[in-house]
Amino acid sequence: MSVSTRRLRHIEEMKETILDAAGTLFYKNGYEETTLRKIATLIDYNPATIYNYYKNKEDIFFALQERAFQSFYEEFDFYRTTKMKGKKSLRKMGKAYIRYGIDHKEDYELMFIMREPMNRAKAIDPKWKIGAKNYELLKLVLAQCIEEKSVRITDVNVGAFMIWSAVHGMVSLYIMDRMKMINDTKHDKLLELAFQQFDELLNRI
Amino acid sequence: MSVSTRRLRHIEEMKETILDAAGTLFYKNGYEETTLRKIATLIDYNPATIYNYYKNKEDIFFALQERAFQSFYEEFDFYRTTKMKGKKSLRKMGKAYIRYGIDHKEDYELMFIMREPMNRAKAIDPKWKIGAKNYELLKLVLAQCIEEKSVRITDVNVGAFMIWSAVHGMVSLYIMDRMKMINDTKHDKLLELAFQQFDELLNRI
DNA sequence: CAAAAATCTAAACAATGTTTATTATATAAA
DNA sequence: TTTATATAATAAACATTGTTTAGATTTTTG
């Protein structure tokens, strides 16, 4: 192994070590509580060392976001090859989306809610492509539904955004604790029924 | 005027002065950029003085959130007395909700998205009642729609949450810059069409 | 083995939210 | 009016934060 490739590998390993530690702390204590000093302590390095591998804190969370998108992508890759009918596929996708958001709420927050690691993202953003890829998948499944005439939608683009909005709305109100505003306390059940209701709404009689 | 009431009024005035300054900075530069020192400088006081009127920074944003809910409430009070048909009322409400979110995105973020001023809110929360009040209004209008049979929904509670989710989803994806993930760049138009699509979906027949 | 490059660290910096001790100001009592 | 007493505002400090700098340590190269 040449020295320069070993060096590159070392850098990759370090970046990953740092990212793992950052993730551990983030999933346990949230963004604000995850300080560079705590990350450094966890991996037995000096805080300054981290700056040899990441430009700054935001950059770390940018990488964490990327990782989240990756895992998110893998979750839905299944629907790319399924032989299910479009409508059934769409329903399952929606359910899976909500489940994923609830079970990985920090990741979900990172990907679809937080302002934090977004500032840099205004520039060229290779990673939104993963998000875009999943969005294309939704459009694909929806297009199949339209073709099947199993759905009350005519425009794929408009329909896809509407569907995304609906499920994103449910997930985000849930995980950001805004369902408090609703008197009914059985939030999980309400969420499930609301999705069912929405799904039925899509049905063509 | 008794001395104690004057004192109380002075406290109220100070709280308001601080809140105004905090709001000005927040609407201009966002949460992180709004520091206690900047607030203090803006109103020509020492940072420590602020602590005589608010427990901490979160408390200030809690108050700002309360103010946002108040203005939000006033926006929708109209629908409480309108003689419009339920369906039309519902449609206008939805449009107004989206418009409000876009035109007051910092307020919207404060009320329905941000984690920040929420920690304290875990305790007794007199202010969620304002949010709850607006939610009840949605339920009222929706109930009228159900009675009119102008809508494909049977359960008010489930339907209300579904509708809220849909519009919240649209607004929040828009203002949190997540529509980037969509290749189509005409976001405003897409938003409008998606709402229309959703509205039509609600229609009976 | 010495020179050079790479890696890591200790220390410091500027800025933050917050607390403490002290001063100035307004009110009350004498 | 003058003195005592709450009240209000401040200056200074504290603990933490993200980040930078200059130097030491280790690793690679000739």
Side-chain angles (χ1 to χ4, degrees):
Chain A
M1 182 163 50
S2 94
V3 60
S4 64
T5 58
R6 174 162 55 236
R7 233 197 92 223
L8 283 176
R9 208 179 67 175
H10 172 247
I11 290 177
E12 275 324 299
E13 283 171 359
M14 278 298 277
K15 289 189 88 160
E16 199 139 311
T17 308
I18 293 164
L19 212 56
D20 286 339
T24 308
L25 294 173
F26 173 63
Y27 297 129
K28 206 194 296 180
N29 312 314
Y31 181 80
E32 301 284 343
E33 286 283 303
T34 304
T35 73
L36 283 166
R37 281 175 174 80
K38 283 182 192 166
I39 297 171
T41 304
L42 190 59
I43 57 177
D44 278 313
Y45 278 98
N46 188 282
T49 303
I50 293 175
Y51 285 84
N52 287 329
Y53 302 95
Y54 288 98
K55 201 172 120 259
N56 52 31
K57 187 182 176 181
E58 195 179 9
D59 222 43
I60 297 173
F61 279 84
F62 201 72
L64 224 43
Q65 193 186 49
E66 196 153 13
R67 196 185 255 196
F69 267 115
Q70 195 55 48
S71 118
F72 182 72
Y73 173 72
E74 282 154 19
E75 183 80 15
F76 288 91
D77 195 45
F78 161 74
Y79 297 94
R80 213 168 292 279
T81 54
T82 178
K83 296 286 178 227
M84 272 185 289
K85 281 207 175 170
K87 187 63 209 307
K88 189 177 180 187
S89 199
L90 187 63
R91 184 184 303 116
K92 288 195 85 176
M93 258 183 104
K95 270 190 187 164
Y97 186 95
I98 292 173
R99 187 75 269 140
Y100 189 90
I102 291 175
D103 289 344
H104 306 83
K105 62 187 184 118
E106 291 85 5
D107 281 337
Y108 193 88
E109 220 175 312
L110 222 40
M111 291 187 283
F112 301 113
I113 299 178
M114 277 177 67
R115 186 119 280 170
E116 295 310 340
M118 291 292 293
N119 292 338
R120 211 196 76 174
K122 278 171 192 152
I124 313 109
D125 24 30
K127 157 223 340 199
W128 296 120
K129 298 217 171 114
I130 300 179
K133 227 169 166 180
N134 270 327
Y135 191 71
E136 290 303 315
L137 183 54
L138 167 60
K139 274 163 59 172
L140 210 78
V141 173
L142 181 58
Q144 198 187 331
C145 292
I146 294 175
E147 203 175 351
E148 285 171 10
K149 296 190 196 306
S150 61
V151 103
R152 257 185 152 197
I153 287 174
T154 50
D155 188 304
V156 193
N157 292 297
V158 173
F161 178 61
M162 188 207 61
I163 292 170
W164 184 25
S165 291
V167 288
H168 167 69
M170 293 178 202
V171 171
S172 58
L173 289 173
Y174 183 90
I175 69 178
M176 301 310 272
D177 294 328
R178 258 51 175 205
M179 286 184 77
K180 287 196 207 187
M181 265 176 267
I182 303 175
N183 279 325
D184 193 336
T185 50
K186 286 168 290 184
H187 296 160
D188 295 87
K189 192 64 190 168
L190 185 56
L191 193 69
E192 194 189 322
L193 292 173
F195 176 76
Q196 248 173 58
Q197 171 77 270
F198 179 72
D199 180 62
E200 282 167 25
L201 227 55
L202 288 175
N203 284 335
R204 211 134 187 263
I205 2 180
Chain B
M1 183 164 49
S2 95
V3 59
S4 66
T5 59
R6 173 162 57 235
R7 231 197 93 223
L8 283 177
R9 206 177 69 173
H10 172 249
I11 290 177
E12 275 324 298
E13 282 170 359
M14 279 297 279
K15 290 189 88 161
E16 200 140 309
T17 306
I18 294 164
L19 212 57
D20 286 339
T24 307
L25 294 173
F26 173 63
Y27 296 129
K28 205 195 297 181
N29 312 315
Y31 181 80
E32 301 284 343
E33 285 283 303
T34 304
T35 73
L36 283 166
R37 281 174 174 80
K38 284 181 192 166
I39 297 171
T41 304
L42 190 59
I43 56 176
D44 279 313
Y45 277 99
N46 188 283
T49 303
I50 293 175
Y51 286 84
N52 287 331
Y53 302 96
Y54 288 99
K55 200 172 120 257
N56 53 30
K57 186 182 177 183
E58 195 179 8
D59 221 43
I60 296 174
F61 279 83
F62 201 72
L64 224 44
Q65 192 186 49
E66 195 153 13
R67 195 186 257 197
F69 267 115
Q70 194 55 49
S71 118
F72 182 73
Y73 174 71
E74 282 155 20
E75 182 80 13
F76 288 91
D77 195 43
F78 161 74
Y79 297 93
R80 211 168 293 279
T81 53
T82 178
K83 297 287 178 226
M84 273 185 290
K85 280 205 175 171
K87 187 65 209 308
K88 188 177 180 186
S89 199
L90 187 64
R91 184 184 303 116
K92 289 196 84 176
M93 258 182 104
K95 272 190 184 164
Y97 186 95
I98 292 174
R99 187 77 267 143
Y100 189 91
I102 290 177
D103 290 344
H104 306 82
K105 64 187 183 116
E106 292 84 5
D107 280 337
Y108 193 88
E109 220 176 313
L110 221 40
M111 291 187 284
F112 300 113
I113 300 177
M114 278 176 67
R115 187 118 279 171
E116 296 308 340
M118 292 292 293
N119 291 337
R120 212 197 76 174
K122 278 172 191 151
I124 313 109
D125 25 29
K127 155 222 342 197
W128 296 120
K129 298 218 172 112
I130 300 180
K133 228 169 167 180
N134 270 326
Y135 191 72
E136 289 303 315
L137 182 56
L138 166 61
K139 275 165 55 176
L140 210 77
V141 173
L142 181 59
Q144 199 188 331
C145 292
I146 294 175
E147 203 175 352
E148 284 172 9
K149 297 189 196 303
S150 60
V151 104
R152 255 185 153 198
I153 287 174
T154 49
D155 188 304
V156 193
N157 291 297
V158 173
F161 178 62
M162 190 208 60
I163 292 171
W164 183 26
S165 292
V167 289
H168 167 70
M170 294 178 200
V171 171
S172 59
L173 289 174
Y174 182 91
I175 68 178
M176 300 312 270
D177 295 328
R178 258 51 175 204
M179 286 184 78
K180 288 197 208 187
M181 264 176 266
I182 303 177
N183 279 326
D184 193 336
T185 50
K186 286 168 291 186
H187 297 160
D188 294 87
K189 192 63 191 167
L190 185 56
L191 193 69
E192 194 189 322
L193 292 173
F195 176 75
Q196 250 172 57
Q197 171 77 270
F198 179 71
D199 180 62
E200 282 165 26
L201 226 57
L202 288 175
N203 284 336
R204 217 128 190 264
I205 20 174

